Amino acid sequence: MLRKVRSWVEICRGTTLLFLFCHLGYVCGQIRYPVPEESQEGTFVGNVAQDFLLDAESLAARRLQVAGEVNQRHFRVDLDSGALLIKNPIDREALCGLSASCIVPLEFVTEGPLEMYRAEVEIVDVNDHAPRFPRQQLDLEIGEAAPPGQRFPLEKAQDADVGSNSISSYRLSSNEHFALDVKKRSDGSLVPELLLEKPLDREKQSDYRLVLTAVDGGNPPRSGTAELRVSVLDVNDNAPAFQQSSYRISVLESAPAGMLLIQLNASDPDLGPSGNVTFSFSGHTPDRVRNLFSLHPTNGKLTLQGPLDFESENYYEFDVRARDGGSPAMEQHCSLRVDLLDVNDNAPHITVTSELGTLPESAEPGTVVALISVQDPDSGSNGDVSLRIPDHLPFALKSAFRNQFSLVTAGPLDREAKSSYDIMVTASDAGSPPLSTHRTIFLNISDVNDNPPSFFQRSHEVFVPENNRPGDLLCSLAASDPDSGLNALISYSLLEPRNRDVSASSFISLNPQTGAVHATRSFDYEQTQTLQFEVQARDRGNPPLSSTVTVRLFVLDLNDNAPAVLRPRARPGSLCPQALPPSVGAGHLVTKVTAVDLDSGYNAWVSYQLLEAPDPSLFAVSRYAGEVRTAVPIPADLPPQKLVIVVKDSGSPPLSTSVTLLVSLEEDTHPVVPDLRESSAPREGESRLTLYLAVSLVAICFVSFGSFVALISKCLRGAACGVTCFPAGTCACLTRSRRREGLPPSNGILRIQLGSDDPIKFVDVGGHSHGCTPLASAPTRSDSFMMVKSPSAPMAGEPVRPSCPPSDLLYGLEVRPLQAQPMLEGYSEAGMWLGHVPESTGLSVRACSDVTTSVSGNYVVDAML
């Protein structure tokens, strides 16, 4: 026992040293290795080099070893492999006694640099002890008048093993008078009792010799035996009887000697000596119980005669015997349990082993400020100590071991906000009432330039209508710096990305003192749709700190371009002759008028209408296709017809242009308009229109390339976007994001960017979260859309028509990166490709080209609902 106590004292002393090393900046592990007890020398326990991420080649140079004299007797480290091995066999019972768990804390020390690691070894019990009875012969006297069913407690066997390897059952040799009953106590131990089944007759048999066997639960099981000798005594009719078969009392560990704990009472109805009852401890009561308690033999008073120690043993359970004076004497037994109650009579003690007086405000979270240890000699909840500091301080307490703490920084420190801290540490136990101790730690914060200027937002989106005035204020990028003095003086500068064809400085100007952004010239949506640049805010600290904000400027389209007729070609003021074969029927295609609008979105959605005709009933114009067809059969003597077709966009206010057709029969001999014969004359208007279209195409190419670069950049910054790819090469990226300020109020915002060179007729996006279907139209451009709402989505194969006033216009432009995702199935029908995105987005996407039955190009859709 003394050896065991000394071993644990050395282990606890090594644990305290380990705590100091760990909190002074060294490494602690939380690894546990199981190893069976009595393992032979050289048994592998675990690879500490691998578990602690140590270089196996440098173990010898760093002298990795087990710390602590006690642990070095049982363990060693192989410096070649880093394996932890058994040095000498470990007896679990000698080390931990009857404790349910046996954990040995290990510390490992390395040099160059000096580091310490911590692990635990769990000594697993093996069934190496057989049950043993205190005596090999157990004597028991029973009167012949004892009634069947009476029980007689027997001495229990002891097993040094624990858990499943401890005693699991008792057996009694076969006989006709006695049986064995096993009672389980509250601590889990088993107590055998001899049960009388048949009446005894001393004249027939005066004694019985039985074999009592105790068996443990090991594999294989072990057993121990004792001879039970039962002597049959002559009749004494009545045995003493206790009022209860078991008693349970509680007493404070501080109870004084001589205190009365309980008075037992047993009655015997016999007269004379047979009715005189004496009390005594049962024969198997251990000596420690007899030394602590005193039992009066005649009145049954149990008193305390020695000091109690809750920390060494928190309860005592034993049997008391009541025996009469008859011949033969009869006796009865009861079980008595005395529970000790811990007394909280010691306040925790705080010891600050190391502390820093000054800490720079740039200290990283987790920096150790002080090492604190607390002790409380009480046990149980009275010895459970909790350490706390005020919640509003940027510090925290961490504990790697019981009652060992480190005070660390839990967040950023700001000397400008608070230059010093008085940290009150309070240690409280869990007693009732709890006792506490206070200790104040003083800490000063030194200043560094640790706060860069910060913008209110990481990115800004600015929406500017085209045709603005030079000098207009676009936005104000204000940054703040919580530092003071030179560290808080901020200057602003414009940063432009490299390899960008469009220079932001040619469009905007930045005030270096205030961060105000002004337009230096008027924007033209047909030339520039987006402009992206960065603004840097830089303080004057040493070293200076800076931060940037990304500004994305979106130019909003205005209806400032009238539609232009591409075909049939005609000079301004000229007629376009169109010939009809004689006697054509209704529905004959005369010609198709095709027009484009340099604007975008709804402003570019053109419609065709027959404005003037000699007989409007003869011809009909398709409103959206521009097809001119005969409405009725044409008579053979039809004179030439002058048709004025007006092409109007959907802007507000709308702009329009017209083309005049001269329709005549092929046999007609009317003179051809002189202007039409001048085929060799240069067409100045047509050349100018071709130039405009060429310039627009080049601008679109540059803007598309810039948008693609911005898409890739935004993906790399971690924008959450799911991309859906369609069979015809179409990819859609749909996300849900917050509503951005500056956009018109609406039930939903759909942002689309197209990377296809083919003209797309429309994109239909159906939202399940609201009752409208946004429609997008971009017949002339492939990089932006203007959105309109529709009360219901069209069916497959049905034409899509705008059905809402311009006030319901939704618009926007977002550059998003393309990401590879699994292909999404779809099908083509009536010149339209149909597909679906996952239900989690609440959207479906449909795109239709002007001519083909599938859509080519890359579509990026950012939906905010």
PDB file of all heavy atoms in Angstrom, residues 536-554:
ATOM      1  N   GLN A 536      -7.979  51.771 -53.369  1.00  0.00           N
ATOM      2  CA  GLN A 536      -7.163  51.408 -52.208  1.00  0.00           C
ATOM      3  C   GLN A 536      -7.185  52.547 -51.187  1.00  0.00           C
ATOM      4  O   GLN A 536      -7.005  53.719 -51.545  1.00  0.00           O
ATOM      5  CB  GLN A 536      -5.723  51.111 -52.618  1.00  0.00           C
ATOM      6  CG  GLN A 536      -4.826  50.691 -51.460  1.00  0.00           C
ATOM      7  CD  GLN A 536      -3.371  50.593 -51.859  1.00  0.00           C
ATOM      8  OE1 GLN A 536      -2.728  51.605 -52.159  1.00  0.00           O
ATOM      9  NE2 GLN A 536      -2.850  49.376 -51.899  1.00  0.00           N
ATOM     10  N   ALA A 537      -7.425  52.163 -49.918  1.00  0.00           N
ATOM     11  CA  ALA A 537      -7.321  53.106 -48.800  1.00  0.00           C
ATOM     12  C   ALA A 537      -6.068  52.754 -48.019  1.00  0.00           C
ATOM     13  O   ALA A 537      -5.894  51.608 -47.604  1.00  0.00           O
ATOM     14  CB  ALA A 537      -8.559  53.031 -47.910  1.00  0.00           C
ATOM     15  N   ARG A 538      -5.190  53.715 -47.775  1.00  0.00           N
ATOM     16  CA  ARG A 538      -3.877  53.471 -47.183  1.00  0.00           C
ATOM     17  C   ARG A 538      -3.656  54.468 -46.046  1.00  0.00           C
ATOM     18  O   ARG A 538      -3.871  55.667 -46.211  1.00  0.00           O
ATOM     19  CB  ARG A 538      -2.788  53.612 -48.251  1.00  0.00           C
ATOM     20  CG  ARG A 538      -1.378  53.277 -47.800  1.00  0.00           C
ATOM     21  CD  ARG A 538      -0.412  53.573 -48.926  1.00  0.00           C
ATOM     22  NE  ARG A 538       0.954  53.217 -48.612  1.00  0.00           N
ATOM     23  CZ  ARG A 538       1.530  52.072 -48.942  1.00  0.00           C
ATOM     24  NH1 ARG A 538       0.820  51.177 -49.618  1.00  0.00           N
ATOM     25  NH2 ARG A 538       2.777  51.807 -48.620  1.00  0.00           N
ATOM     26  N   ASP A 539      -3.261  53.923 -44.872  1.00  0.00           N
ATOM     27  CA  ASP A 539      -2.977  54.827 -43.765  1.00  0.00           C
ATOM     28  C   ASP A 539      -1.495  55.199 -43.781  1.00  0.00           C
ATOM     29  O   ASP A 539      -0.736  54.773 -44.641  1.00  0.00           O
ATOM     30  CB  ASP A 539      -3.394  54.208 -42.428  1.00  0.00           C
ATOM     31  CG  ASP A 539      -2.629  52.929 -42.106  1.00  0.00           C
ATOM     32  OD1 ASP A 539      -1.513  52.749 -42.640  1.00  0.00           O
ATOM     33  OD2 ASP A 539      -3.134  52.116 -41.321  1.00  0.00           O
ATOM     34  N   ARG A 540      -1.065  56.033 -42.799  1.00  0.00           N
ATOM     35  CA  ARG A 540       0.311  56.527 -42.757  1.00  0.00           C
ATOM     36  C   ARG A 540       1.088  55.928 -41.588  1.00  0.00           C
ATOM     37  O   ARG A 540       2.032  56.530 -41.085  1.00  0.00           O
ATOM     38  CB  ARG A 540       0.310  58.050 -42.650  1.00  0.00           C
ATOM     39  CG  ARG A 540      -0.344  58.729 -43.849  1.00  0.00           C
ATOM     40  CD  ARG A 540      -0.213  60.241 -43.777  1.00  0.00           C
ATOM     41  NE  ARG A 540      -0.899  60.882 -44.889  1.00  0.00           N
ATOM     42  CZ  ARG A 540      -0.941  62.191 -45.074  1.00  0.00           C
ATOM     43  NH1 ARG A 540      -0.330  63.010 -44.215  1.00  0.00           N
ATOM     44  NH2 ARG A 540      -1.598  62.696 -46.102  1.00  0.00           N
ATOM     45  N   GLY A 541       0.686  54.740 -41.167  1.00  0.00           N
ATOM     46  CA  GLY A 541       1.396  54.058 -40.096  1.00  0.00           C
ATOM     47  C   GLY A 541       2.739  53.532 -40.570  1.00  0.00           C
ATOM     48  O   GLY A 541       3.135  53.667 -41.730  1.00  0.00           O
ATOM     49  N   ASN A 542       3.467  52.941 -39.644  1.00  0.00           N
ATOM     50  CA  ASN A 542       4.776  52.380 -39.962  1.00  0.00           C
ATOM     51  C   ASN A 542       4.829  50.948 -39.432  1.00  0.00           C
ATOM     52  O   ASN A 542       4.945  50.738 -38.223  1.00  0.00           O
ATOM     53  CB  ASN A 542       5.886  53.216 -39.324  1.00  0.00           C
ATOM     54  CG  ASN A 542       7.280  52.738 -39.755  1.00  0.00           C
ATOM     55  OD1 ASN A 542       7.404  52.050 -40.764  1.00  0.00           O
ATOM     56  ND2 ASN A 542       8.279  53.085 -38.975  1.00  0.00           N
ATOM     57  N   PRO A 543       4.727  49.951 -40.306  1.00  0.00           N
ATOM     58  CA  PRO A 543       4.527  50.068 -41.752  1.00  0.00           C
ATOM     59  C   PRO A 543       3.090  50.450 -42.075  1.00  0.00           C
ATOM     60  O   PRO A 543       2.183  50.165 -41.294  1.00  0.00           O
ATOM     61  CB  PRO A 543       4.849  48.664 -42.258  1.00  0.00           C
ATOM     62  CG  PRO A 543       4.478  47.774 -41.117  1.00  0.00           C
ATOM     63  CD  PRO A 543       4.826  48.540 -39.877  1.00  0.00           C
ATOM     64  N   PRO A 544       2.865  51.073 -43.230  1.00  0.00           N
ATOM     65  CA  PRO A 544       1.498  51.461 -43.583  1.00  0.00           C
ATOM     66  C   PRO A 544       0.649  50.243 -43.908  1.00  0.00           C
ATOM     67  O   PRO A 544       1.137  49.250 -44.437  1.00  0.00           O
ATOM     68  CB  PRO A 544       1.694  52.364 -44.807  1.00  0.00           C
ATOM     69  CG  PRO A 544       2.993  51.918 -45.400  1.00  0.00           C
ATOM     70  CD  PRO A 544       3.859  51.498 -44.244  1.00  0.00           C
ATOM     71  N   LEU A 545      -0.612  50.331 -43.592  1.00  0.00           N
ATOM     72  CA  LEU A 545      -1.577  49.274 -43.892  1.00  0.00           C
ATOM     73  C   LEU A 545      -2.605  49.816 -44.874  1.00  0.00           C
ATOM     74  O   LEU A 545      -2.889  51.009 -44.898  1.00  0.00           O
ATOM     75  CB  LEU A 545      -2.263  48.791 -42.614  1.00  0.00           C
ATOM     76  CG  LEU A 545      -1.353  48.233 -41.521  1.00  0.00           C
ATOM     77  CD1 LEU A 545      -2.166  47.864 -40.298  1.00  0.00           C
ATOM     78  CD2 LEU A 545      -0.565  47.036 -42.026  1.00  0.00           C
ATOM     79  N   SER A 546      -3.142  48.923 -45.641  1.00  0.00           N
ATOM     80  CA  SER A 546      -4.097  49.344 -46.666  1.00  0.00           C
ATOM     81  C   SER A 546      -5.129  48.250 -46.877  1.00  0.00           C
ATOM     82  O   SER A 546      -4.944  47.100 -46.480  1.00  0.00           O
ATOM     83  CB  SER A 546      -3.393  49.650 -47.993  1.00  0.00           C
ATOM     84  OG  SER A 546      -2.766  48.473 -48.505  1.00  0.00           O
ATOM     85  N   SER A 547      -6.215  48.625 -47.521  1.00  0.00           N
ATOM     86  CA  SER A 547      -7.259  47.691 -47.922  1.00  0.00           C
ATOM     87  C   SER A 547      -7.888  48.222 -49.198  1.00  0.00           C
ATOM     88  O   SER A 547      -7.756  49.407 -49.531  1.00  0.00           O
ATOM     89  CB  SER A 547      -8.316  47.532 -46.823  1.00  0.00           C
ATOM     90  OG  SER A 547      -8.952  48.769 -46.563  1.00  0.00           O
ATOM     91  N   THR A 548      -8.516  47.359 -49.909  1.00  0.00           N
ATOM     92  CA  THR A 548      -9.111  47.712 -51.194  1.00  0.00           C
ATOM     93  C   THR A 548     -10.585  47.350 -51.210  1.00  0.00           C
ATOM     94  O   THR A 548     -11.038  46.495 -50.456  1.00  0.00           O
ATOM     95  CB  THR A 548      -8.397  46.998 -52.358  1.00  0.00           C
ATOM     96  OG1 THR A 548      -8.512  45.577 -52.172  1.00  0.00           O
ATOM     97  CG2 THR A 548      -6.933  47.388 -52.417  1.00  0.00           C
ATOM     98  N   VAL A 549     -11.296  48.029 -52.079  1.00  0.00           N
ATOM     99  CA  VAL A 549     -12.700  47.727 -52.313  1.00  0.00           C
ATOM    100  C   VAL A 549     -12.900  47.637 -53.822  1.00  0.00           C
ATOM    101  O   VAL A 549     -12.307  48.402 -54.590  1.00  0.00           O
ATOM    102  CB  VAL A 549     -13.614  48.804 -51.693  1.00  0.00           C
ATOM    103  CG1 VAL A 549     -13.360  50.163 -52.308  1.00  0.00           C
ATOM    104  CG2 VAL A 549     -15.085  48.420 -51.861  1.00  0.00           C
ATOM    105  N   THR A 550     -13.665  46.653 -54.234  1.00  0.00           N
ATOM    106  CA  THR A 550     -13.952  46.460 -55.651  1.00  0.00           C
ATOM    107  C   THR A 550     -15.248  47.178 -56.005  1.00  0.00           C
ATOM    108  O   THR A 550     -16.273  46.998 -55.323  1.00  0.00           O
ATOM    109  CB  THR A 550     -14.075  44.968 -55.978  1.00  0.00           C
ATOM    110  OG1 THR A 550     -12.846  44.315 -55.642  1.00  0.00           O
ATOM    111  CG2 THR A 550     -14.373  44.762 -57.458  1.00  0.00           C
ATOM    112  N   VAL A 551     -15.178  47.977 -57.030  1.00  0.00           N
ATOM    113  CA  VAL A 551     -16.338  48.731 -57.481  1.00  0.00           C
ATOM    114  C   VAL A 551     -16.733  48.210 -58.862  1.00  0.00           C
ATOM    115  O   VAL A 551     -15.898  48.170 -59.780  1.00  0.00           O
ATOM    116  CB  VAL A 551     -16.051  50.244 -57.540  1.00  0.00           C
ATOM    117  CG1 VAL A 551     -17.283  50.998 -58.015  1.00  0.00           C
ATOM    118  CG2 VAL A 551     -15.605  50.748 -56.179  1.00  0.00           C
ATOM    119  N   ARG A 552     -17.951  47.765 -58.976  1.00  0.00           N
ATOM    120  CA  ARG A 552     -18.482  47.332 -60.274  1.00  0.00           C
ATOM    121  C   ARG A 552     -19.545  48.338 -60.704  1.00  0.00           C
ATOM    122  O   ARG A 552     -20.568  48.492 -60.021  1.00  0.00           O
ATOM    123  CB  ARG A 552     -19.057  45.922 -60.178  1.00  0.00           C
ATOM    124  CG  ARG A 552     -18.009  44.842 -60.064  1.00  0.00           C
ATOM    125  CD  ARG A 552     -18.616  43.461 -60.261  1.00  0.00           C
ATOM    126  NE  ARG A 552     -19.459  43.105 -59.130  1.00  0.00           N
ATOM    127  CZ  ARG A 552     -19.019  42.472 -58.056  1.00  0.00           C
ATOM    128  NH1 ARG A 552     -17.736  42.144 -57.984  1.00  0.00           N
ATOM    129  NH2 ARG A 552     -19.826  42.161 -57.064  1.00  0.00           N
ATOM    130  N   LEU A 553     -19.272  49.011 -61.798  1.00  0.00           N
ATOM    131  CA  LEU A 553     -20.169  50.037 -62.316  1.00  0.00           C
ATOM    132  C   LEU A 553     -20.946  49.453 -63.490  1.00  0.00           C
ATOM    133  O   LEU A 553     -20.349  48.924 -64.441  1.00  0.00           O
ATOM    134  CB  LEU A 553     -19.371  51.270 -62.739  1.00  0.00           C
ATOM    135  CG  LEU A 553     -20.161  52.520 -63.154  1.00  0.00           C
ATOM    136  CD1 LEU A 553     -19.412  53.764 -62.740  1.00  0.00           C
ATOM    137  CD2 LEU A 553     -20.393  52.539 -64.658  1.00  0.00           C
ATOM    138  N   PHE A 554     -22.254  49.502 -63.407  1.00  0.00           N
ATOM    139  CA  PHE A 554     -23.121  48.989 -64.451  1.00  0.00           C
ATOM    140  C   PHE A 554     -23.818  50.171 -65.133  1.00  0.00           C
ATOM    141  O   PHE A 554     -24.458  50.995 -64.466  1.00  0.00           O
ATOM    142  CB  PHE A 554     -24.174  48.041 -63.876  1.00  0.00           C
ATOM    143  CG  PHE A 554     -23.593  46.851 -63.180  1.00  0.00           C
ATOM    144  CD1 PHE A 554     -23.493  46.817 -61.796  1.00  0.00           C
ATOM    145  CD2 PHE A 554     -23.140  45.770 -63.902  1.00  0.00           C
ATOM    146  CE1 PHE A 554     -22.957  45.722 -61.152  1.00  0.00           C
ATOM    147  CE2 PHE A 554     -22.607  44.671 -63.275  1.00  0.00           C
ATOM    148  CZ  PHE A 554     -22.501  44.636 -61.896  1.00  0.00           C
TER     149      PHE A 554
END
